[in-house]
Amino acid sequence: MSSRTIRALAFATAAVLASTALAACGSDDETPAAAGSGTAEAETIRLGYFPNITHAPALVGVNKGFFAEALGSTKLEEKTFNAGPAAIEALFSGAIDATYIGPNPAINGWSESKGQALKIVAGSTSGGAGLVVKEGINTPADLKGKKIATPQLGNTQDVALRAWLKQNGLNADKQGGGDVSVLPQDNATALQAFAQGAIDGAWVPEPNLSRLILESKGKLLVDEKTLWPNGEFVTTHLIVSQEFLKKYPGTVKKLIQGHVKSVKFIETSNAEAQTAANAQIEKLSGKALKPEILESAFKNLKFTHDPIASSLYTSAKNAESVDLLDPVDLKGIYDLTLLNEVLKAEGQSAVSDAAA
């Protein structure tokens, strides 16, 4: 691992990484097979996701039984996580076979495994992130000397904040110094810190963005949608272990069928989908979101099977520009073969992994 790679993003030991890469490759000169080359199915698939509205297609798919129905005789085992690096480490170690995750952890997982550990097989969520600040902060210049939280060093929102600061002539180092003090911390801590005045703002995803505004009277300084073409950028997508994809393409295809059905349900039955997602969050965390927070978060998010690939490549460049990622070749990170087969069967348009 190079000196520029963040220690906090080291997802597994070298031994685990090496064994995973070998398992995925089979041998040094063997290229992982593309999806769709067979119909083999697994007895069990272990699926990771977060108890968070940005993972609503997973929450709804589990709660409404869409995955179980699509998978048929294959047993679904759910595993929940609170941070992308933990999910990637679980994928690396073989503890899970697939997971919903943000773009930057997936990019880092691809980089750390030298393109051997995972494939992005479908999009899930776009939007729903931004910078919320206290009153009196109206421009980027007003942030100088201020303390801003992000969910985790090197995570998707952390990269977005640091890249935006740099584009506006402000610097922030990984130790919390610079023009703006960026303080990575879990979302619950950031919510409390903002309410108490210990920080001046936070770049966070939903539903925490809505909570900062509605519960703590924060002000939205930057809606991240405004920084992207057509207001679309990947917040969450679905990744699968290359080893599992190679062995059980039939199971992965059925998982994607359940995922597509879940996304469609959110589009066509939004109120019922909100209820299902919130019920699953309450089941997992013991506490449901307040109705006004739930509604606000859903309005700020777009759920889509399109991975919005162009935004992933830009996110990687942004991470490189702020020294959170060594240059990485992302060619091959997507395998949308099975997704496009499912979409074609349903009369929907194919999606692309093109950079632009």
Side-chain angles (χ1 to χ4, degrees):
M1 187 178 299
S2 74
S3 60
R4 295 176 61 204
T5 304
I6 310 164
R7 292 180 183 273
L9 292 176
F11 305 119
T13 65
V16 170
L17 181 57
S19 63
T20 303
L22 288 173
C25 293
S27 66
D28 289 343
D29 58 358
E30 183 180 341
T31 301
S37 59
T39 58
E41 296 183 24
E43 292 184 1
T44 302
I45 182 169
R46 298 159 298 174
L47 177 67
Y49 64 99
F50 299 4
N52 190 302
I53 286 299
T54 56
H55 290 228
L59 296 167
V60 171
V62 171
N63 185 268
K64 300 296 291 184
F66 297 145
F67 292 129
E69 180 182 359
L71 288 168
S73 61
T74 297
K75 180 183 177 182
L76 175 69
E77 288 187 5
E78 311 159 38
K79 295 183 181 293
T80 57
F81 300 91
N82 291 311
I88 288 290
E89 185 174 349
L91 193 81
F92 273 20
S93 68
I96 58 173
D97 307 305
T99 188
Y100 287 79
I101 201 167
N104 285 85
I107 291 167
N108 279 284
W110 177 265
S111 176
E112 292 293 330
S113 68
K114 303 187 186 304
Q116 299 298 330
L118 62 91
K119 289 284 187 179
I120 300 170
V121 296
S124 173
T125 310
S126 170
L131 175 59
V132 179
V133 297
K134 66 182 182 182
E135 287 296 333
I137 298 176
N138 302 302
T139 68
D142 293 336
L143 291 171
K144 197 164 186 177
K146 300 296 193 293
K147 298 177 181 178
I148 306 296
T150 62
Q152 190 171 30
L153 179 64
N155 96 314
T156 302
Q157 288 76 45
D158 187 70
V159 168
L161 170 62
R162 293 174 192 273
W164 179 82
L165 289 172
K166 184 174 181 179
Q167 290 162 10
N168 284 278
L170 298 167
N171 68 75
D173 63 36
K174 287 175 277 190
Q175 291 73 43
D179 296 325
V180 180
S181 181
V182 177
L183 305 174
Q185 54 197 268
D186 65 75
N187 290 318
T189 300
L191 289 169
Q192 184 178 29
F194 186 78
Q196 295 174 344
I199 58 173
D200 302 290
W203 194 300
V204 290
E206 290 290 5
N208 303 297
L209 185 145
S210 289
R211 289 191 64 186
L212 287 173
I213 294 171
L214 297 176
E215 295 177 350
S216 297
K217 309 304 179 185
K219 178 176 66 175
L220 185 63
L221 183 65
V222 182
D223 184 341
E224 194 172 341
K225 290 190 186 79
T226 64
L227 307 180
W228 294 93
N230 303 315
E232 295 184 342
F233 62 98
V234 58
T235 303
T236 310
H237 47 211
L238 177 61
I239 68 172
V240 176
S241 153
Q242 282 191 28
E243 182 182 12
F244 190 87
L245 179 61
K246 181 180 178 181
K247 286 184 177 179
Y248 305 113
T251 296
V252 175
K253 185 173 183 177
K254 288 185 174 182
L255 177 70
I256 292 171
Q257 288 173 337
H259 169 70
V260 170
K261 186 171 183 179
S262 183
V263 170
K264 185 176 181 180
F265 184 79
I266 294 173
E267 293 174 346
T268 59
S269 305
N270 192 265
E272 190 175 348
Q274 288 188 37
T275 299
N278 210 19
Q280 194 66 19
I281 287 175
E282 184 174 21
K283 178 181 178 181
L284 295 170
S285 68
K287 188 175 182 180
L289 294 173
K290 296 177 182 177
E292 63 271 21
I293 301 296
L294 181 69
E295 182 179 2
S296 175
F298 258 78
K299 284 182 178 178
N300 201 25
L301 292 163
K302 177 181 179 181
F303 301 101
T304 174
H305 45 253
D306 188 336
I308 318 175
S310 60
S311 69
L312 180 89
Y313 300 121
T314 300
S315 290
K317 293 299 183 185
N318 287 344
E320 291 174 18
S321 75
V322 294
D323 297 322
L324 292 179
L325 179 71
D326 288 327
V328 56
D329 183 0
L330 295 178
K331 183 178 180 181
I333 194 172
Y334 288 98
D335 190 340
L336 304 179
T337 307
L338 296 176
L339 172 62
N340 282 326
E341 286 180 7
V342 171
L343 295 176
K344 182 178 180 181
E346 296 199 355
Q348 298 189 50
S349 299
V351 297
S352 171
D353 62 1

